[in-house]
Amino acid sequence: MNKPFVIRIKLLYLVLLLAGGGVIAQILRLQYLTNYGDKAEQNAFTKEEIEANRGNILAMDGRFLAASIPYYQIRIDCLAPHRDTFNKYVDGLSAALAQFFKDKTAAAYKKELVDTRASGNRYKVVGNRNVTHTELEQIKQFPLFSRGTNRGGLIAIQKNKRIYPYDRLASRTIGFINDYGRGPGIENSFDHQLKGNPGLRTLQRQTKNKEARPLTVTPDIPPIDGYDVQTTLDIDIQEAAERALRNRLAKSSELEGATAIVMEVQTGAIRAISNLTKTDTGDYDERYNYAIAEATEPGSTFKLATLMALLEDDYVSLNTMIDAGNGRWSYGGATLSDVSSGGYGNISVLQAFEKSSNVAFAKMAVQHFAGKESQFLQRLYDIKISEKLKLDIEGEGAASLRARDDKSRWEPGALPMMAIGYQVKLTPLHILSFYNAVANGGKMMRPYLIESLKKAGQIEKVYKPQVISGSICSKSTIDSLQKALRYVVKEGTAKSIDNPRYPISGKTGTAQIAFGSGGYKEGDYHRHQASFAGFFPSDHPRYTIVVVVYTQKTRQNFYGATWAAPVFREIADKIYSFSTDWNDPVIREKTPAYQPPQPMAGIDWSKPLSDGTVPNVVGMGLMDALYLLERNGLQVKVTGMGSVESQDPLPGTPLQAVNTVAIALTKNNGKKTQIAAK
C-alpha cells in the first residue's frame, strides 16, 4: 500500500477520534459536571407572579365598604413589531402618547422609542402615570398598539388600588394592609380569603438588557381572584352611631374618644361598631378600636352582674330592703360613696339599682359573699361575662376577673369594689354581650362581624350565629333583671332618655380610669369613662347598644347619664325612624329627617358607573366626584372647596371626546378658594 496514503488514513482516523472524544466529553460535562443547561435556561427565562384581584368587603346589604380598582402601567416592547411596521407607525404612536400623557412632545417620544429599539431594550415604560381600565382601552387603539402585544408591542401591567367608598366610616373595623402585609380589621384577619391565589407567567430575559418581557399574552397559571367578604354591618346604623358619637364629642374639649356598638339581639350580629379618637388637630378619627381592645374597669354597668349573682343565689329579691345610709360607707380600708348628697337611706334593691347606689351594692356583696368570695366569683364565671369572645377580627382585649383560688388576693376591700365594677376588666364588647344575653332571655350569643364569603356573587361559605351559653341564669332572674333595667330608664339615672314612642331598658355607668403610675388621681386630675348599656324595645328587644365615652385628664366629672345615655338615645331614634316594620317614624325636635349615607354621592354600585358619557357630579363632594370621574378614565382639574357647583364638559358628553374634566367647588357661602389641581 502507498505509504503517503496510509499516513493520510491514520491522520483522518485520529481527527475523527479526537472529535468524537470531544463530543463525548462535552456531553459528560454538561450531564454530570455542571448545570450549565439549567443556568442557560434560567438566564433566558424567568417566572413572574401575577397579582389576583383582591376581593371586596361588603355591608350586609351588599354595598361596598372596600373595593379594588385596577390600574395599569404601560410598557412597550420596541423589538416586537417588524422594522417596517415600527417605522410606519412610530410617528402616529408618538403623537398619541404625547397628547394622552401630556408629559413630553411627540418628537421627544419618537426619539425615545427609536433609541430604545436601537439599543435593544424590550420593556420600556411609557407615560408619567398608571392608567385606568377605560384609559387602557383607549390606548389599545393608538397606532402600532392597535396591532396587539406580539405585533404592536403593547404591554399593560395591572396594579390594583384599594378604595373605601364610605371614606373613614368603620375604618378601624374594615382595616387595611400595610406595605409589610399587616394591618388591623377585616382586611388583615381575612387577608388570605381576600387576596386570592396569584398566577404565574414566563418572562423572557433579553441578552442586551436586564429587563424581561412576558413570553405570551396568556399566563402559565391564571390568578384566582379573592373572595368577597360580606359583613354584618348595616351602613345606615353605622352612620347613625358615628354621627351620634361625633355630636357628643363636640360638646367638650376634654374628651379623648368614644365607642358605640350595636348588636342584633337574637343573632349576635354586629350592625355597627364606631370608634373615635381625638387627633393632634383636635378632630376625631378611627385610630383605635376601643370596642374590642380597651379592657377597663367598667363601673356601674357591672352592677347588673352583681345583682344577677345576688338574685340567682336567692339572697335578695327586687323588693328586699337595704340601708344605703347617708351615702358613705367604709369597709376594709375602702370608702364608697353615692352621688346623692345625704344618701338614700332605707331603699329596696330595685331602687338601689335604678339609683345606682354604690353603698347599697357594696353592702349587699359584703353581707352575702364575705368569706364566700369564691362563690361570688363562680357566679361571674357562670354567666360568661369574661368569656373570650373570639371575634372575627384580631385585637380582642383580655377580660379578667380575679383568680378563682387565689385567696391571698382577696384583701378586705376587694369584694365591695368588685360589686360596683372595679378590680375587674372588661371591654365594651364584653359588656354588650352580657347585656344582650339579658335582652335575649338568658341566651348569650357570640358577637360576629362576617356573614359569608362570596365568589362572583354566589355564596361559598356562611357564618352562622353561635351560642356561648344557652342560659346564663334562671328565667325568674332574667325577668327581674329586665324589670330592673327598664326602671333605670323609666324612673332612675337614665330617665332623661326615656321615649314615649318605644320603651328603652339599660344601665348607666361611671368609672374612674387608672392612669400614670396606676392610681386614679394625679393631683386634682383624674380620668373618667362614662357608659350606658341597654336594649330596645324593652318588651320585644331587637337591638342592644353599648356606648362608652373616655376623657383625658380632667378636674370635671363625666357621668354616664349625661354623656353616654344621650348617644344611645340618638342611635336608637335613628334606627327606629328608618325601620319601616316598626311604628310611625320618630323625628326628634330640631333634628332633620333621616337621610341614608350615600357612597360617592349616590353611586349605584350594582350598575355600570357610566353609560359611555361624562357622569354628572354637580352637588357631590370632592372625594365623590374624583372617584366617579377617575373610575371612568377621566383626569380632573379642581378649583375651590366644598361641593361641586359646575363641571366642564357638561354631563352627557361622550367619553371618547374627553380627557379632562374641570370641576369648580363652592361652600355654602359661595366663596371659592384655589386648591392644588389633581
Side-chain angles (χ1 to χ4, degrees), residues 210-231:
K210 294 182 179 180
E211 295 282 3
R213 64 179 293 272
L215 190 62
T216 62
V217 177
T218 304
D220 304 336
I221 302 175
I224 300 174
D225 293 345
Y227 288 98
D228 290 340
V229 176
Q230 184 159 16
T231 71

Side-chain angles (χ1 to χ4, degrees), residues 414-653:
L415 180 59
M417 292 300 290
M418 281 191 69
I420 63 171
Y422 286 89
Q423 301 198 16
V424 297
K425 287 190 175 182
L426 299 171
T427 68
L429 191 62
H430 282 89
I431 291 292
L432 177 73
S433 299
F434 173 50
Y435 274 70
N436 193 78
V438 175
N440 200 26
K443 180 187 290 186
M444 180 176 282
M445 305 302 298
R446 190 178 305 281
Y448 71 105
L449 277 164
I450 307 303
E451 291 274 12
S452 63
L453 300 180
K454 292 183 172 182
K455 267 285 181 71
Q458 300 298 314
I459 294 176
E460 299 281 340
K461 181 177 181 179
V462 175
Y463 294 82
K464 296 180 179 180
Q466 297 181 29
V467 178
I468 294 178
S469 174
S471 180
I472 60 174
C473 62
S474 65
K475 177 66 166 58
S476 61
T477 296
I478 287 293
D479 292 342
S480 295
L481 296 177
Q482 290 182 348
K483 180 180 179 180
L485 289 169
R486 174 64 189 133
Y487 266 77
V488 170
V489 180
K490 187 177 180 180
E491 303 289 347
T493 56
K495 188 175 181 179
S496 62
I497 70 165
D498 196 20
N499 192 322
R501 298 270 190 156
Y502 61 92
I504 296 172
S505 299
K507 180 73 183 73
T508 56
T510 304
Q512 292 189 25
I513 304 173
F515 68 102
S517 60
Y520 295 100
K521 277 195 174 185
E522 193 174 271
D524 293 334
Y525 288 91
H526 43 249
R527 292 184 62 212
H528 283 290
Q529 71 174 45
S531 56
F532 184 86
F535 51 85
F536 70 98
S538 300
D539 43 2
H540 297 289
R542 294 184 60 173
Y543 294 100
T544 306
I545 304 175
V546 65
V547 178
V548 185
V549 178
Y550 305 92
T551 76
Q552 299 173 339
K553 290 194 299 184
T554 177
R555 288 189 175 97
Q556 299 183 38
N557 291 319
F558 287 79
Y559 297 107
T562 53
W563 287 97
V567 178
F568 180 104
R569 168 69 187 269
E570 187 173 340
I571 297 171
D573 279 355
K574 289 293 186 183
I575 295 174
Y576 189 86
S577 70
F578 55 66
S579 297
T580 57
D581 56 333
W582 287 6
N583 296 322
D584 296 335
V586 171
I587 305 297
R588 298 179 64 186
E589 291 185 8
K590 299 181 181 180
T591 300
Y594 173 74
Q595 296 294 329
Q598 297 296 324
M600 304 307 154
I603 297 172
D604 186 346
W605 287 75
S606 66
K607 299 179 181 178
L609 287 178
S610 174
D611 57 359
T613 64
V614 175
N616 185 1
V617 297
V618 174
M620 295 184 184
L622 176 60
M623 181 191 69
D624 305 346
L626 286 176
Y627 173 77
L628 185 54
L629 292 171
E630 290 182 350
R631 183 78 185 269
N632 281 285
L634 299 168
Q635 299 301 300
V636 185
K637 291 184 178 179
V638 182
T639 56
M641 297 181 67
S643 57
V644 180
E645 182 184 45
S646 62
Q647 68 178 81
D648 180 30
L650 295 174
T653 305

